[in-house]
Amino acid sequence: MGQIDLQKSIRTRKLNFNDSSCWRWTERGLFYLVAATFIYFSAKDTWNGLTTDNLPISRIIFDLLIVSIGVWLIYSVVHLDKLTVIKGKDKETNKNLMYDLLTGMFTDTKFFFIDDQLFGTRQWTMKKPGKEITLIFNESDILINITHKVRFGDMDSPFHVLTNQADIKEIKKRVEK
């Protein structure tokens, strides 16, 4: 994880890093390429079946499944670095509230502050993927992102996006109470 560009991240509502990590772009590009390949070849297969009058229902179902996997992968990569905004009170109250809330929710995660940011990390193990929780405190707003890590804890997982979004939704619900 590189140094976060705070102002750009707050403005764009996506995590932006100061380092020009070629690995991050290569990783994202690979997932986009795989998704586009799934969609292209499934659409081509369905089209060939339509033009040759040889399109059994099992082939249609399989192609739809492959296309949905491709669309899901694109959706996941787009939402991987998204920051969700939670309305809070003032900066110091938000910091104390979020630290207490997150240490209670994620007991296996270590949390630490750096200026107006709160980071949480859980190391990758054979039983659990790693996890990075990033919070940026901007006046009364709290910007949060949760990313699961796979492959020895160094690769962002696009396969856990729904879990990440569910965790963020639960955090948002608890803060707004």
Side-chain angles (χ1 to χ4, degrees):
M1 177 170 81
Q3 189 73 15
I4 294 175
D5 184 347
L6 283 176
Q7 297 307 318
K8 190 173 181 183
S9 295
I10 291 169
R11 190 178 68 249
T12 61
R13 304 276 196 250
K14 284 186 88 70
L15 284 178
N16 290 291
F17 297 92
N18 287 333
D19 62 347
S20 57
S21 175
C22 186
W23 173 249
R24 178 178 292 279
W25 288 103
T26 304
E27 181 182 293
R28 302 293 199 276
L30 177 66
F31 285 124
Y32 281 125
L33 181 66
V34 168
T37 303
F38 281 4
I39 293 168
Y40 172 76
F41 283 112
S42 294
K44 183 178 175 186
D45 183 54
T46 302
W47 180 255
N48 288 340
L50 284 171
T51 58
T52 60
D53 290 332
N54 181 19
L55 192 61
I57 190 71
S58 60
R59 192 164 159 191
I60 294 171
I61 291 171
F62 181 74
D63 286 341
L64 285 175
L65 177 68
I66 297 300
V67 166
S68 64
I69 290 170
V71 170
W72 163 250
L73 202 51
I74 290 172
Y75 171 84
S76 296
V77 173
V78 166
H79 286 85
L80 204 56
D81 290 330
K82 182 181 178 220
L83 288 167
T84 303
V85 179
I86 301 173
K87 296 293 182 190
K89 306 228 185 296
D90 62 281
K91 196 179 286 190
E92 286 305 314
T93 306
N94 290 342
K95 284 182 179 183
N96 294 330
L97 172 71
M98 292 308 291
Y99 183 80
D100 293 340
L101 177 68
L102 293 177
T103 53
M105 283 182 71
F106 303 103
T107 56
D108 58 351
T109 305
K110 292 178 176 57
F111 291 94
F112 57 95
F113 284 100
I114 299 177
D115 296 328
D116 289 338
Q117 301 171 68
L118 175 63
F119 296 101
T121 57
R122 177 179 71 198
Q123 295 300 315
W124 180 88
T125 63
M126 292 301 283
K127 294 182 180 179
K128 287 185 175 181
K131 184 184 284 191
E132 283 183 359
I133 301 172
T134 305
L135 285 92
I136 300 172
F137 299 99
N138 180 35
E139 297 171 13
S140 66
D141 292 337
I142 305 165
L143 290 91
I144 184 170
N145 176 274
I146 299 176
T147 304
H148 274 77
K149 299 292 204 174
V150 292
R151 203 189 68 152
F152 307 111
D154 65 348
M155 187 170 95
D156 297 343
S157 172
F159 307 109
H160 292 88
V161 169
L162 285 181
T163 304
N164 299 340
Q165 290 174 345
D167 286 343
I168 291 171
K169 189 175 183 179
E170 178 65 24
I171 292 167
K172 189 173 184 176
K173 186 173 87 173
R174 289 185 185 189
V175 167
E176 290 174 349
K177 276 188 177 179

